C-alpha cells in the first residue's frame, strides 16, 4: 500500500509491507552488513537522495521534516540514494562539506541512526575514495558509504549497487567534468563482476522481501528518464530474481512506477534538496502510481 502526506513544499511517501524472517549466506565481493530489527521483528526507515547542498535549496527544511517523521515512525536507519555532495563530491576526508552538508544538517535525534549510502554521479566527480574512507565514519559514526554491499535486516535484504560506472556517457562524453574512476577500471571487468555477484546473491537469498538500491533510474518520467544501460544489464537480473523494489535517486522528484509484466516496483527518492518543478514526461497512467516534482523523502 502507499499513503501520502504533504507538508509545505515537502512530501513524505510511505510504503508499508508485512515482512518475514530470512537467512542468507554472504559473498566475498559484496560486503555483508547486519541491521537488527525491532523487538517485534519490524523495521522502519527513511530514503533520501540528491541532497548535499550545505542546507540550500530547502535541504534544511527536508532534514527538519525527516526528523519529525523519523521520530513518529521510530526509524531504524536511513538510506541515501546518492549525489551526497554537490556539485563535485568531496575534495578529501577533510572537506568541510561533510559537516556542512551532512553532520550539521541532519541533527534531529531521530536521524542519529545508521545511514546506508551509495555513490551518485556527482560523488564520482570528487575524491571518491574520501566518501568510502573509514575516516569519515570516525568523524560521524552514522556515515557508511560503500560501492556495492548487502544489508541483512532479517526480515528483508537490501542490495546496494554502484550504478554510476554503468553509464556510458560519463566515459565517452564527460564534457568538462572529471570523474574519479579509481577502483572501477578496467570498467568491463568491474561491471561483469558486480552483475555476477549481485545475481548470485539474489539467487541465494531466501528473503520474503528483496530490495535493490542504486543511484540511477531504471524507469522514470523525470529529467533523466530511463537509464538504458541499467534497463539492458541490471533490470533482467532484478526480474529473474523476483526483486520487489528498485529504489533510486538521480531524478530530483518522488515517484512510484509499477511494472506491467511483474511485481517489481520502481521508487524514486531524489528530492533531498534542489528539485525540478514541472519537469515530467508522459507515462502510462496505469503504471504511474505517483509523481511529485518537489522536495521530499520516502519512508
Amino acid at each position: 500500500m502507499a499513503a501520502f502526506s504533504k507538508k509545505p513544499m515537502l512530501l513524505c511517501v510511505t510504503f508499508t509491507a508485512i515482512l518475514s524472517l530470512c537467512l542468507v549466506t554472504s559473498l566475498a565481493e559484496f560486503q555483508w552488513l547486519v541491521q537488527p530489527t525491532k523487538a517485534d521483528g519490524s523495521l522502519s526507515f527513511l530514503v533520501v537522495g540528491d541532497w548535499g547542498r550545505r542546507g540550500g535549496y530547502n535541504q534544511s527544511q527536508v532534514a527538519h521534516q525527516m526528523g519529525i517523521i523519523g521520530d513518529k515512525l521510530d526509524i531504524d536507519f536511513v538510506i541515501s540514494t546518492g549525489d551526497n555532495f554537490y556539485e563535485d563530491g568531496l575534495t578529501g576526508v577533510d572537506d568541510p562539506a561533510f559537516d556542512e552538508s551532512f553532520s550539521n544538517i541532519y541533527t534531529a535525534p531521530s536521524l542519529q541512526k545508521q545511514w546506508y549510502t551509495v555513490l551518485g554521479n556527482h560523488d564520482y566527480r570528487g575524491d571518491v575514495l574520501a566518501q568510502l574512507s573509514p575516516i569519515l565514519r570516525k568523524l560521524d559514526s552514522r556515515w557508511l558509504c560503500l560501492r556495492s554491499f548487502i544489508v541483512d535486516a532479517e526480515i528483508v535484504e537490501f542490495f546496494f549497487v554502484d550504478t554510476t560506472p554503468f553509464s556510458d556517457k560519463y566515459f565517452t562524453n564527460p564534457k568538462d567534468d572529471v570523474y574519479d574512476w579509481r577502483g572501477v577500471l578496467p570498467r568491463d571487468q568491474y561491471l561483469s563482476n558486480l552483475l555476477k555477484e549481485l545475481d548470485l546473491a539474489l539467487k541465494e537469498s531466501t528473503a520474503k522481501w528483496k530490495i535493490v538500491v542504486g543511484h540511477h533510474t531504471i524507469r522514470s518520467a523525470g529529467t533523466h528518464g530511463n537509464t538504458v544501460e541499467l534497463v539492458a544489464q541490471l533490470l533482467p537480473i532484478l526480474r529473474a530474481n523476483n526483486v520487489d523494489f528498485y529504489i533510486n535517486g538521480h531524478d530530483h522528484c518522488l515517484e512510484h512506477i509499477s511494472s506491467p509484466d511483474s511485481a517489481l516496483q520502481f521508487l524514486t527518492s531524489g528530492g533531498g534538496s534542489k528539485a525540478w518543478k514541472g519537469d515530467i514526461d508522459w507515462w502510462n497512467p496505469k503504471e504511474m502510481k505517483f509523481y511529485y516534482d518537489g522536495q521530499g523523502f520516502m519512508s
Side-chain angles (χ1 to χ4, degrees):
M1 299 179 62
F4 313 103
S5 60
K6 281 194 176 182
K7 296 290 183 181
M9 302 181 69
L10 300 170
L11 195 70
C12 168
V13 185
T14 303
F15 292 86
T16 305
I18 299 173
L19 308 174
S20 62
L21 183 67
C22 65
L23 293 171
V24 293
T25 58
S26 70
L27 292 172
E29 295 300 322
F30 271 66
Q31 186 165 342
W32 189 269
L33 305 169
V34 175
Q35 169 65 50
T37 64
K38 293 182 174 65
D40 64 359
S42 67
L43 278 175
S44 181
F45 60 95
L46 305 181
V47 184
V48 65
D50 304 83
W51 42 268
R53 297 183 185 272
R54 292 178 166 86
Y57 293 95
N58 291 323
Q59 183 194 0
S60 293
Q61 287 86 341
V62 173
H64 177 69
Q65 294 298 332
M66 287 175 65
I68 294 172
I69 300 299
D71 180 61
K72 288 181 178 179
L73 298 180
D74 187 23
I75 62 167
D76 299 285
F77 57 92
V78 179
I79 288 175
S80 169
T81 56
D83 277 2
N84 309 310
F85 302 99
Y86 285 95
E87 288 285 330
D88 300 313
L90 295 178
T91 59
V93 294
D94 57 351
D95 190 333
F98 182 71
D99 286 331
E100 294 167 359
S101 290
F102 178 64
S103 295
N104 297 345
I105 299 296
Y106 302 100
T107 57
S110 68
L111 303 181
Q112 307 307 303
K113 305 291 176 68
Q114 185 69 67
W115 284 55
Y116 296 113
T117 306
V118 293
L119 297 166
N121 52 297
H122 283 270
D123 300 311
Y124 265 101
R125 295 180 190 176
D127 180 351
V128 75
L129 300 186
Q131 291 197 49
L132 303 173
S133 173
I135 293 175
L136 293 189
R137 293 180 219 170
K138 293 180 180 179
L139 296 175
D140 191 323
S141 61
R142 296 177 293 170
W143 183 260
L144 197 154
C145 181
L146 301 168
R147 294 188 196 271
S148 297
F149 59 103
I150 299 170
V151 174
D152 176 2
E154 295 185 359
I155 57 176
V156 58
E157 289 171 357
F158 298 87
F159 303 82
F160 292 79
V161 178
D162 183 20
T163 61
T164 301
F166 282 91
S167 184
D168 292 335
K169 66 181 180 181
Y170 303 137
F171 294 86
T172 61
N173 187 29
K175 299 180 181 179
D176 295 328
D177 299 317
V178 178
Y179 292 88
D180 182 358
W181 297 125
R182 286 177 294 173
V184 170
L185 303 177
R187 179 191 177 204
D188 289 346
Q189 181 180 341
Y190 179 81
L191 295 179
S192 176
N193 288 344
L194 190 160
L195 290 170
K196 288 177 182 177
E197 299 284 352
L198 176 64
D199 187 38
L200 182 56
L202 288 168
K203 279 182 167 58
E204 290 186 342
S205 172
T206 58
K208 168 71 174 179
W209 298 91
K210 292 182 278 191
I211 298 175
V212 176
V213 180
H215 175 65
H216 290 75
T217 61
I218 293 181
R219 301 290 191 204
S220 176
T223 297
H224 294 110
N226 299 348
T227 304
V228 294
E229 295 90 348
L230 295 185
V231 171
Q233 299 177 67
L234 182 59
L235 181 55
I237 293 176
L238 305 190
R239 284 175 170 164
N241 290 286
N242 300 312
V243 169
D244 297 287
F245 301 112
Y246 177 73
I247 302 177
N248 59 272
H250 200 44
D251 269 340
H252 296 189
C253 62
L254 299 173
E255 173 178 40
H256 174 196
I257 295 177
S258 65
S259 298
D261 53 359
S262 75
L264 178 60
Q265 305 294 304
F266 302 95
L267 308 177
T268 297
S269 183
S273 58
K274 186 177 182 179
W276 301 321
K277 190 168 183 63
D279 200 344
I280 177 174
D281 292 329
W282 184 89
W283 200 279
N284 186 337
K286 293 182 179 180
E287 299 175 15
M288 178 61 75
K289 303 302 182 183
F290 179 79
Y291 191 95
Y292 178 70
D293 57 350
Q295 288 96 353
F297 56 96
M298 189 175 294
S299 68

